[in-house]
Amino acid sequence: MVAKMASVNPFNLSDSEEEAERRPNETVDTERSPSDGAPGPPPGNPFSPPADAEPPTLLLSSNRTSPSGEGISFSAAATSAMAGSGETRVSVDVIAAQLLRDQYILTALEFHTELLEAGRELPRLRDYFSNPGNFERQSGTPPAKDQEISACCTCSPGRGPTANKAGFVGQLYRAGSISTLDSLDFARYSDDGNRESDERVAVLEFELRKAKETIQALRANLTQAAESEVPSQERKNFKSSPEIQEPIRPLEKRALNFLVNEYLLKNEYKLSSITFSDENDDQDFELWDDVGLNIPKPPDLLQLYRNCGTPLPSPRSTADVSVGVDFAEVIKCPCIVQELEYQISLLNNEKQSLAEQIKKLQRCVHECIFVFTVVTFFFVPCWLRCLRKLSPAFQQALLSFCRMCSDSRLGAEVSRIADSEESVMLMLGRCLPHIVPNVLLAKREELIPLILCTACLHPEPKERDQLLHILFNLIKRPDDEQRQMILTGCVAFARHVGPTRVEAELLPQCWEQINHKYPERRLLVAESCGALAPYLPKEIRSSLVLSMLQQMLTEDKADMVREAVVKSLGIIMGYIDDPDKYSQGFELMLLSLGDPSERVVSAVHQVFIPAFAAWTTELGTLHTALIPSLLARIEKLLMQGEHGLDEHKLHVFLSALQSLIPPLFAVVLQNAPFTSRGKTTTKMTRFPRPASPLQDVAAIIGSREMLSALLLLYDHQLEHEGTTGWDSLLWVVNQLLPQLIEIVGRINVTSSTCVHEFSRFFWRFCRTFGKIFTNTKVKPQFQEILRLSEENVDASAGNGILTKATVPIYATGVLTCYNQEEDRKLLVGFLEDVMTTLSLSHAPLDSLKASFVELGANPVYHELLLTVLWYGVVHTSALVRCTAARMFELVLRGMSEALVDRRAAPALITLCSGPEFSVRISTIPAFGTIMETVTQKELLERVKMQLASFLEDPQYQDQHSLHMEIIRTFGRVGPNAEPRFRDEFVLPHLHKLALANNSQAVESKRIDIATQLFEAYSALSCCFISEEVMVNHFLPGLRCLRTDMEQLSPEHEVILSSMIKECEIKVENRGMADAQGSMSIASSLVGEDAKTKFLSKMGQLTTSGAMLANVFQRKK
């Protein structure tokens, strides 16, 4: 009996009685330990008993009794079962049922684990431990036996209870409870209270393992769902037709991609692997789990290829059974969480300590490698002597053939390799001074990063100074790109080392180069001062650097250097914070504005003035000190310039004022008493184009959105709420505008430059401050001074202001700011009133002419000016019509030929048809301008006919003023007119007028005509004149004029004789002149003595007719 029991392994049992019935003749399957043959579980099982343990029958025997009082031991049950049947094996299901019935929960759990690891899962144990309801506490007492049996006997719908030999149901169903094993107090059922904690840990481990199994099952389900994309009907088609290949599934494609990439990496096809990864960017090739959920990784491609002919074992069919364990419940357990956190903290600490030890070991390894290398290099001869017993002399002689050089500087550097960061910096500091001179000039900027890094990190100040000296002297004459590289490096250096080292190391390099002979090097210094300004100490920035730049601005002769100095000064003004430096900044602004170079002055307006204005805005002195100072200088200049205004200085001061308009408007906006804040925005189209980004009002305010909102509030405040409490705007209205209007009235109206400058200033001023401000604040002040009204048209009092520059500046600077219909009507009415008032009061027309010249320069206003002139053409007063005729001469230049033909020429002909000779004469200059600027033949013929009527009509024969105007016009337009018109019309009529003047009885008229003829012939003598015209008209006209000069002025007769002689020589040598090309009469074939005499005589005379008349009278 004992032998029979010993031959039976109770753990090697079938899963059920049905299996035993299917295999009645099989031998007993036993698993014994290789040492002593004791039965046990498969090797490697963590729950297996040791080799010298008792047989499992003894282990399963226990003194513990069932809670129900039944004390049937497992060994007794097994013995009785084996006694009844000598070779019949006991079913594991019977053993499991006995363990569960006797409440040996931990033993059943261990038994279940053993079966799972052996691959023989028992449904009874699986369902029992998967059902949380089996472990719920009921009224603090464990479940009774009958309760457990009744729960086990519960059958599912549609299926009757299937009882085994022990009378238990073969399948359990899950309960709806979320209670798990951790809710049991196993100490109540244990006979050993000290094992409570160990048992609890074992239960929790099992529960955690079941939760992981659940996750794996879910992953498998998802993978199978993803694989079920191909319909079943299609799969049947593929199986029935083997020649049709089934399309690749997504999972298969991802798995093959992973294996291919793995193969490429293992076989050093790295570039192909990178390309393959880029083409499959939706897959992570570092992680196999990315291929699919719960998919085992197959062998690599090589193993698949080698095993392609061997059938692979079919995997064991498994079924997915849900585990009713909620993994979140395990994690939520406070004690488990705390324990895991504590374990994690311990592991992190251990990880940090290990990382530190690894670093120390790495350093030690590096040091050992270095020491080993050095020892190997220097002591190989000793080893050779030890090994070969060679003499030291022989070893030295032998090694001398290695041709090593350690006695030179470079050999010493090569022989001692740097072993740390500091030694690398020291080596670079020693080697760079020798490397730089041997690098090509065109490639030396490549050394800039190396020099800068070494200069930043080198420990020796002397070496750092030498390296920075090399940097600034790296390139003999650095171009723009090379300077930018050096400046970028300097800024990076300054950012890295801080203000103290910048002051101590970089600034001395700039100071040394301040007087360098090459302007490119001085330019580098000027640009460096600006680039380093943000990184310098504020005391150095406002003292030393400012003094350096001021010296360069005063002394440097290169325009590009002074331009860079001005820009750097502007950057300095953006960072300076010492109010005592305001006066120095103002003087620097005036000094740079007076620079003779236009590029320097442009830099002042683009950079310096905006930055300086921003500083004065912070100081609160923009409208209290800076602008009033410039206005005071303009007034002083006007007071000193009564006999001759310095227009250049006026331009300097006025341009500075113009550049201050944007910051002034920003101050007005920022200090406005707005009662609400704007939330909407508007388009900003009214501002003039800024000269630089620093003059953009949006940049000054902060953003375009903020400026747009402020503009809406600004216009609303002006239109509805007024300016009460708006101090900055009240200063503009009550102090700035009146002072500017007074200055405008004092400038010379005949100075087109001054008129243009002030006109542009007021235009930008009004455009910046807006239309509402212009209509309500600017225009009323001008209108009050000009006093234009119907009742004052004929009054002589109050017209003095109309002759000053106030008229053209108001017309061109204020009334042209906005180009809407009402604005154009206002401008037309103002010009008509001024023209009428000046004409009727016999006042000078200079202010009106200045207005027409300034407006006529812009083709946009040509139509508008012709409208004003047509008002004068049809006016009832001849004075007004004369004024209109004279204004035509000013606007025709630059006007399109179509507009001249359509509107100007008909208006002039209309004026010529009037009865007044004065009006007709006033049209002659305008006709001459048409002949000078127009190329349309029909129009030229009409003008030619009109001028011919003036010369040939008998009613004009005694019109001395008409002849004077025609001769003056011919002299002005003749050199630029069409050659045919000059040869066929101008010169013949000048000849007739000169001939008629010989018989003039009135000496004063004769003198006037001779004066105008002399000026006309002097101008025409520079033109190419054909031989026929020269013989028939030009020479005869000169001879007639010489006849008049012989009687009136012998000095002028000498000049005329010289001119006649030159023309005669010209005619005689026409053949030679034709070969050499066309040359002017005044310069061809003239000796140096004659030329000098001619020019000296011309220099003694003036082109003014009045002065020539006085000369002639003195000769009487």
Side-chain angles (χ1 to χ4, degrees):
M1 183 71 174
V2 175
K4 288 185 177 180
M5 290 181 61
S7 64
V8 177
N9 187 352
F11 282 96
N12 193 10
L13 305 175
S14 62
D15 294 341
S16 63
E17 293 182 359
E18 290 79 359
E19 182 180 353
E21 294 173 357
R22 287 195 304 267
R23 297 183 298 178
N25 299 323
E26 292 182 5
T27 59
V28 178
D29 183 14
T30 59
E31 294 181 1
R32 301 182 180 273
S33 173
S35 59
D36 55 9
N45 188 352
F47 294 95
S48 302
D52 56 351
E54 295 180 356
T57 55
L58 298 178
L59 288 174
L60 288 173
S61 300
S62 175
N63 295 328
R64 289 181 295 179
T65 61
S66 172
S68 60
E70 296 181 6
I72 303 173
S73 64
F74 175 74
S75 59
T79 305
S80 62
M82 290 184 290
S85 174
E87 290 295 327
T88 302
R89 293 178 300 175
V90 179
S91 171
V92 293
D93 194 60
V94 175
I95 299 173
Q98 181 68 29
L99 291 175
L100 293 176
R101 184 170 54 252
D102 293 344
Q103 287 294 305
Y104 297 121
I105 303 298
L106 290 179
T107 306
L109 176 61
E110 189 171 352
F111 185 40
H112 178 51
T113 304
E114 294 275 358
L115 292 176
L116 283 178
E117 292 179 352
R120 303 169 62 196
E121 185 179 24
L122 188 63
R124 179 186 299 278
L125 292 177
R126 179 194 65 194
D127 293 337
Y128 182 84
F129 288 111
S130 299
N131 189 359
N134 295 327
F135 308 102
E136 292 182 346
R137 296 173 181 172
Q138 299 178 3
S139 303
T141 61
K145 177 179 179 182
D146 55 353
Q147 293 174 346
E148 180 182 0
I149 297 175
S150 64
C152 293
C153 293
T154 304
C155 60
S156 62
R159 179 186 300 179
T162 303
N164 55 12
K165 291 182 180 181
F168 287 91
V169 180
Q171 184 174 2
L172 297 176
Y173 294 92
R174 296 189 182 188
S177 173
I178 61 173
S179 299
T180 56
L181 286 172
D182 59 351
S183 62
L184 288 176
D185 186 4
F186 289 101
R188 299 181 58 184
Y189 316 118
S190 174
D191 59 341
D192 188 1
N194 295 329
R195 297 177 58 189
E196 174 185 354
S197 59
D198 295 337
E199 294 173 350
R200 182 173 178 80
V201 170
V203 172
L204 291 177
E205 288 178 349
F206 168 75
E207 199 164 36
L208 181 61
R209 186 162 57 251
K210 297 299 295 181
K212 291 180 180 180
E213 291 176 0
T214 303
I215 294 174
Q216 292 295 327
L218 293 175
R219 290 165 64 92
N221 291 338
L222 289 176
T223 302
Q224 293 173 6
E227 281 295 283
S228 62
E229 293 181 0
V230 181
S232 58
Q233 184 63 33
E234 294 185 10
R235 294 178 182 173
K236 293 180 180 179
N237 295 338
F238 292 133
K239 292 180 179 179
S240 61
S241 302
E243 67 275 4
I244 303 177
Q245 185 178 2
E246 181 179 356
I248 188 171
R249 302 175 187 176
L251 180 64
E252 295 172 344
K253 179 180 178 181
R254 297 173 70 85
L256 289 175
N257 288 346
F258 186 90
L259 295 176
V260 169
N261 185 72
E262 182 183 43
Y263 170 77
L264 293 175
L265 286 177
K266 286 182 178 180
N267 292 274
E268 300 297 329
Y269 298 114
K270 295 183 178 179
L271 293 179
S272 300
S273 173
I274 293 172
T275 306
F276 188 74
S277 300
D278 293 339
E279 292 175 346
N280 297 276
D281 54 356
D282 59 339
Q283 184 172 350
D284 183 7
F285 290 104
E286 300 293 333
L287 185 63
W288 169 255
D289 288 341
D290 184 70
V291 172
L293 300 173
N294 204 32
I295 298 298
K297 183 177 180 298
D300 56 16
L301 286 182
L302 181 60
Q303 294 299 326
L304 290 175
Y305 173 74
R306 290 175 176 174
N307 299 330
C308 62
T310 304
L312 296 175
S314 59
R316 183 190 299 256
S317 299
T318 58
D320 179 30
V321 179
S322 301
V323 180
V325 179
D326 191 353
F327 184 73
E329 291 297 328
V330 181
I331 299 300
K332 289 180 181 179
C333 182
C335 60
I336 297 297
V337 172
Q338 294 178 0
E339 179 67 20
L340 293 176
E341 290 179 350
Y342 176 71
Q343 294 292 336
I344 291 173
S345 63
L346 292 179
L347 292 175
N348 287 333
N349 294 334
E350 184 179 359
K351 174 184 174 183
Q352 293 178 359
S353 62
L354 291 175
E356 294 177 357
Q357 293 179 10
I358 289 172
K359 291 181 179 179
K360 292 180 180 179
L361 291 175
Q362 288 178 345
R363 286 197 296 267
C364 293
V365 168
H366 291 163
E367 293 176 359
C368 292
I369 291 174
F370 174 73
V371 171
F372 177 76
T373 305
V374 173
V375 171
T376 302
F377 183 82
F378 289 100
F379 294 97
V380 163
C382 295
W383 295 349
L384 288 176
R385 184 175 62 249
C386 295
L387 295 176
R388 299 287 305 281
K389 298 181 180 180
L390 300 176
S391 66
F394 183 83
Q395 292 174 355
Q396 191 67 26
L398 182 62
L399 291 177
S400 64
F401 289 94
C402 294
R403 301 186 62 84
M404 293 184 297
C405 179
S406 59
D407 53 351
S408 64
R409 178 196 62 81
L410 185 59
E413 295 291 348
V414 173
S415 62
R416 47 178 179 178
I417 302 298
D419 58 346
S420 65
E421 295 180 0
E422 183 177 359
S423 60
V424 171
M425 291 300 105
L426 294 174
M427 181 271 293
L428 288 175
R430 293 189 302 267
C431 294
L432 278 174
H434 302 279
I435 295 173
V436 172
N438 299 304
V439 178
L440 293 175
L441 290 175
K443 294 296 182 181
R444 285 194 179 178
E445 62 267 20
E446 300 291 340
L447 293 171
I448 294 176
L450 199 58
I451 296 173
L452 285 170
C453 290
T454 308
C456 285
L457 303 176
H458 203 284
E460 295 296 332
K462 184 177 180 181
E463 295 295 332
R464 295 200 301 266
D465 182 73
Q466 182 183 7
L467 290 170
L468 292 176
H469 180 77
I470 291 174
L471 177 66
F472 274 83
N473 294 273
L474 187 63
I475 304 169
K476 188 176 182 180
R477 307 184 72 165
D479 57 21
D480 186 61
E481 184 177 355
Q482 292 168 336
R483 287 196 310 275
Q484 289 181 10
M485 287 296 167
I486 296 176
L487 288 178
T488 304
C490 290
V491 170
F493 179 88
R495 228 178 1 235
H496 183 80
V497 303
T500 304
R501 283 185 58 182
V502 173
E503 174 190 354
E505 298 177 11
L506 270 183
L507 278 187
Q509 303 298 331
C510 296
W511 185 262
E512 290 179 2
Q513 308 257 340
I514 196 172
N515 292 317
H516 200 278
K517 64 177 180 177
Y518 292 128
E520 292 84 1
R521 300 281 277 276
R522 303 197 302 273
L523 181 60
L524 177 62
V525 173
E527 293 173 341
S528 299
C529 292
L532 296 175
Y535 309 99
L536 289 169
K538 60 180 183 179
E539 299 82 5
I540 297 299
R541 190 165 49 217
S542 58
S543 58
L544 176 60
V545 178
L546 196 62
S547 301
M548 290 172 58
L549 293 174
Q550 184 174 4
Q551 177 183 344
M552 297 183 73
L553 180 64
T554 307
E555 299 177 357
D556 206 292
K557 297 180 180 180
D559 295 348
M560 61 178 182
V561 176
R562 297 199 305 277
E563 179 187 10
V565 167
V566 167
K567 292 180 180 179
S568 295
L569 282 172
I571 298 174
I572 293 292
M573 291 300 153
Y575 287 91
I576 201 169
D577 55 0
D578 185 3
D580 296 335
K581 297 295 180 179
Y582 167 78
S583 58
Q584 185 178 1
F586 184 75
E587 294 300 327
L588 286 172
M589 182 185 72
L590 296 180
L591 177 64
S592 55
L593 281 171
D595 196 277
S597 174
E598 292 185 1
R599 59 191 297 179
V600 176
V601 176
S602 176
V604 177
H605 291 292
Q606 292 178 3
V607 183
F608 186 88
I609 292 181
F612 189 61
W615 183 35
T616 56
T617 300
E618 295 180 13
L619 296 177
T621 58
L622 177 65
H623 61 284
T624 60
L626 180 56
I627 295 178
S629 299
L630 291 173
L631 291 174
R633 279 168 169 76
I634 292 176
E635 290 182 337
K636 182 179 179 181
L637 192 64
L638 293 174
M639 292 176 60
Q640 297 174 351
E642 294 180 356
H643 302 290
L645 179 64
D646 189 346
E647 294 184 356
H648 176 69
K649 286 188 177 180
L650 180 64
H651 166 73
V652 167
F653 297 141
L654 194 59
S655 62
L657 270 180
Q658 185 170 310
S659 297
L660 292 174
I661 292 175
L664 176 62
F665 182 65
V667 169
V668 170
L669 287 180
Q670 291 169 342
N671 298 330
F674 298 142
T675 56
S676 61
R677 291 296 169 186
K679 297 181 180 179
T680 59
T681 58
T682 182
K683 292 184 178 180
M684 296 172 293
T685 58
R686 77 186 197 195
F687 293 107
R689 184 184 299 274
S692 76
L694 297 178
Q695 290 188 6
D696 189 356
V697 182
I700 300 173
I701 292 294
S703 68
R704 293 198 171 274
E705 293 76 14
M706 188 183 303
L707 175 60
S708 181
L710 289 176
L711 287 178
L712 289 176
L713 296 173
Y714 168 79
D715 292 338
H716 181 270
Q717 186 85 8
L718 282 178
E719 192 171 4
H720 299 97
E721 301 183 15
T723 59
T724 304
W726 203 342
D727 296 337
S728 55
L729 187 67
L730 289 174
W731 176 85
V732 174
V733 175
N734 299 329
Q735 297 186 39
L736 179 62
L737 269 176
Q739 192 172 1
L740 286 171
I741 294 174
E742 181 186 358
I743 290 174
V744 163
R746 295 165 58 184
I747 67 173
N748 186 8
V749 69
T750 60
S751 173
S752 60
T753 303
C754 295
V755 171
H756 177 75
E757 291 290 337
F758 274 97
S759 174
R760 292 299 89 194
F761 173 82
F762 272 96
W763 187 87
R764 297 183 73 89
F765 180 83
C766 294
R767 290 286 297 186
T768 302
F769 277 80
K771 187 172 185 178
I772 298 176
F773 179 85
T774 302
N775 292 334
T776 59
K777 306 299 179 183
V778 180
K779 290 181 180 178
Q781 295 196 32
F782 272 98
Q783 291 168 357
E784 182 182 358
I785 293 176
L786 295 173
R787 294 192 299 276
L788 292 173
S789 59
E790 291 290 337
E791 57 271 14
N792 292 331
V793 169
D794 296 328
S796 59
N799 289 331
I801 191 67
L802 296 181
T803 63
K804 295 182 180 179
T806 309
V807 170
I809 291 173
Y810 175 62
T812 62
V814 178
L815 297 181
T816 61
C817 286
Y818 301 94
N819 201 25
Q820 297 181 358
E821 187 63 27
E822 60 271 17
D823 302 313
R824 297 176 70 87
K825 288 181 178 179
L826 184 61
L827 177 58
V828 169
F830 175 74
L831 292 176
E832 291 174 352
D833 292 341
V834 170
M835 182 172 62
T836 303
T837 304
L838 293 178
S839 301
L840 296 179
S841 60
H842 299 278
L845 302 176
D846 293 333
S847 60
L848 186 64
K849 289 181 179 180
S851 302
F852 273 78
V853 170
E854 187 70 21
L855 291 172
N858 190 350
V860 175
Y861 297 107
H862 286 171
E863 290 272 3
L864 184 145
L865 293 176
L866 289 175
T867 301
V868 175
L869 291 178
W870 184 252
Y871 168 82
V873 169
V874 299
H875 200 276
T876 57
S877 172
L879 296 174
V880 178
R881 294 202 301 274
C882 284
T883 302
R886 294 194 177 278
M887 294 300 108
F888 270 104
E889 177 189 0
L890 303 176
V891 300
L892 287 173
R893 296 183 183 276
M895 188 177 292
S896 65
E897 293 188 8
L899 198 58
V900 173
D901 186 29
R902 189 177 72 251
R903 297 193 61 181
L908 289 172
I909 293 174
T910 302
L911 289 173
C912 292
S913 62
E916 295 86 358
F917 282 101
S918 60
V919 177
R920 299 178 186 179
I921 295 171
S922 300
T923 61
I924 293 176
F927 282 122
T929 303
I930 294 176
M931 299 299 298
E932 186 181 9
T933 57
V934 175
T935 60
Q936 188 177 345
K937 292 184 178 180
E938 296 179 359
L939 182 58
L940 289 176
E941 287 298 328
R942 291 161 58 189
V943 173
K944 186 177 178 181
M945 291 173 59
Q946 186 63 50
L947 292 176
S949 67
F950 288 149
L951 292 169
E952 297 172 1
D953 196 331
Q955 62 178 332
Y956 300 116
Q957 288 183 358
D958 297 332
Q959 293 295 325
H960 177 70
S961 58
L962 184 143
H963 295 157
M964 289 283 294
E965 194 65 48
I966 286 180
I967 296 172
R968 185 182 301 112
T969 302
F970 283 172
R972 177 173 59 84
V973 305
N976 300 321
E978 197 221 345
R980 183 179 176 184
F981 171 73
R982 181 175 63 240
D983 294 342
E984 296 180 0
F985 188 82
V986 174
L987 292 176
H989 283 92
L990 284 178
H991 178 203
K992 291 179 182 180
L993 291 171
L995 183 61
N997 195 49
N998 291 147
S999 59
Q1000 177 61 252
V1002 181
E1003 187 173 354
S1004 60
K1005 293 182 179 180
R1006 188 179 180 184
I1007 292 174
D1008 292 339
I1009 296 296
T1011 302
Q1012 293 302 325
L1013 284 173
F1014 181 82
E1015 293 182 358
Y1017 274 110
S1018 298
L1020 292 170
S1021 64
C1022 298
C1023 302
F1024 173 77
I1025 302 172
S1026 64
E1027 182 179 358
E1028 181 182 357
V1029 176
M1030 181 76 69
V1031 174
N1032 296 333
H1033 300 293
F1034 194 80
L1035 278 174
L1038 283 177
R1039 293 189 182 103
C1040 293
L1041 181 58
R1042 184 177 60 177
T1043 302
D1044 291 334
M1045 292 300 182
E1046 287 176 352
Q1047 300 177 11
L1048 301 173
S1049 177
E1051 295 180 358
H1052 294 84
E1053 185 271 336
V1054 174
I1055 298 174
L1056 289 172
S1057 299
S1058 175
M1059 293 172 63
I1060 292 170
K1061 184 177 180 180
E1062 292 167 5
C1063 292
E1064 291 173 349
I1065 296 174
K1066 173 78 173 179
V1067 173
E1068 292 175 0
N1069 298 279
R1070 172 60 63 181
M1072 184 182 299
D1074 291 340
Q1076 295 179 353
S1078 302
M1079 298 177 66
S1080 66
I1081 299 174
S1083 61
S1084 63
L1085 302 177
V1086 181
E1088 290 296 329
D1089 295 338
K1091 193 180 293 186
T1092 303
K1093 183 177 180 181
F1094 174 78
L1095 293 176
S1096 64
K1097 291 296 182 181
M1098 288 295 294
Q1100 296 173 4
L1101 302 176
T1102 177
T1103 57
S1104 172
M1107 293 298 293
L1108 283 176
N1110 293 335
V1111 172
F1112 295 151
Q1113 289 180 358
R1114 285 197 297 270
K1115 291 297 181 180
K1116 290 191 334 180

